[in-house]
Amino acid sequence: MTQTPLTQVLNLQLTPMQISETIPVTDLSSKNSFATQTANRGTELFLYPGESSEILVEIENSGREALQLDLGIGGNFPENWCRIGIEGNELAPKQRIQAVLYFQTPDDFFEFNRPLTPGKSLVLDYSGHLNVRYNQTNSNRELIKTAEFKLYVRPRSLYPKFLPEFYREVDFISRLLKIFEETFEPAVNTLNSLWAYLDPLTAPEAMLGFLGNWVAWEINPRWSPEVQRRLIRQAMQIYSWRGTRRGLRFYLHLYTGLPLDEEIPQEDDKHISIQEVFQEGLVLGKTSLGDNTLMGGGKPYHFIVRLRSEPGIEIDGQLVDYIIEQEKPVFCTYELIIDR
């Protein structure tokens, strides 16, 4: 916290709202640089990419007349990093008013696409100043009150918290540890979330082919990624029930998203209905002419699949035929009906 030298009628006080225990050292060649920096710390604000930081400005009118205020910011940092928030521009005598300087650096500050020229490095320390132009209500004379501040752009770092407090106060050590953190932390985070990479529902899309090979599941480009995730995750169940009504219904449920309706006893009332047709037709030795004879139309081992689609659910009949052909016994025939 720093109080600028008093003028005749206007006082300024700048208070950073984010204070870091790290002390930036700009002159490492001096033996007493650390002590000098500690003793002469002014208004300093640490900026972390993607996060907002603020400086509170208190303006006091110690005169006897109202003042008209106009605030401006200058410095060697980009203009779009800062904006000023203040309510009103008139300050009554013997009154105070507060303003806020809002700072925010880009998320990709440390990942600039433009290359640095040889011999130059990324600028991390900036200086700025707040200019308050004011004049008395009954006077045309304009005065300027200036308050300086420093900005330090730093990355968020986890490793310094494992150091003794004395070393956490050295800015160079924090920046050095950040290099190792950027190298090791991605691997650590991957290990901590390895389970998510091995679950088809949460794994990256590029991992689906690898996970499909684990369970001998063929990746079909006709399936959407969401359907592929469900099918790979339930592949072992599909294999164990292949050739059965239960297995076919479960496969169609995973593809279409229609409910299984296991609590509904009547097959006709289910969203995925699979009915077997027990008609043998004319079988010598089992039927008698003129009694229980069915001439033609007999379809042994035949079943009917009826899908009742709900609004908003699109069902591809060709894909359903592909599923049935893959799951049914070879000697069976079927009929597909899709009610939209």
Side-chain angles (χ1 to χ4, degrees), residues 223-274:
W223 305 115
S224 66
E226 291 74 17
V227 174
Q228 289 282 16
R229 294 178 185 277
R230 296 197 297 265
L231 294 176
I232 294 174
R233 197 171 195 269
Q234 302 294 340
M236 301 310 297
Q237 271 191 303
I238 295 175
Y239 294 156
S240 62
W241 295 338
R242 175 163 288 178
T244 65
R245 179 193 300 187
R246 180 182 181 183
L248 178 58
R249 193 197 312 276
F250 184 64
Y251 199 153
L252 294 175
H253 159 70
L254 294 176
Y255 161 59
T256 62
L258 297 175
L260 291 173
D261 297 330
E262 295 180 346
E263 71 283 357
I264 300 178
Q266 297 295 328
E267 189 70 25
D268 291 341
D269 299 333
K270 297 182 178 182
H271 287 82
I272 305 175
S273 173
I274 303 176

Side-chain angles (χ1 to χ4, degrees), residues 24-34 36-37 125:
V25 178
T26 56
D27 185 9
L28 295 177
S29 61
S30 175
K31 296 182 179 179
N32 298 324
S33 60
F34 182 83
T36 303
Q37 290 286 337
D125 302 339

Side-chain angles (χ1 to χ4, degrees), residues 147-188:
E148 297 183 351
F149 56 85
K150 294 184 179 298
L151 302 176
Y152 302 106
V153 183
R154 298 292 186 268
R156 284 289 186 186
S157 182
L158 300 174
Y159 287 7
K161 70 179 182 180
F162 299 106
L163 297 177
E165 183 177 357
F166 175 79
Y167 294 104
R168 290 202 300 266
E169 296 179 352
V170 181
D171 181 57
F172 174 76
I173 294 180
S174 298
R175 292 159 58 185
L176 177 64
L177 290 179
K178 187 62 180 179
I179 299 175
F180 298 96
E181 182 179 339
E182 290 292 327
T183 303
F184 296 127
E185 278 303 302
V188 174

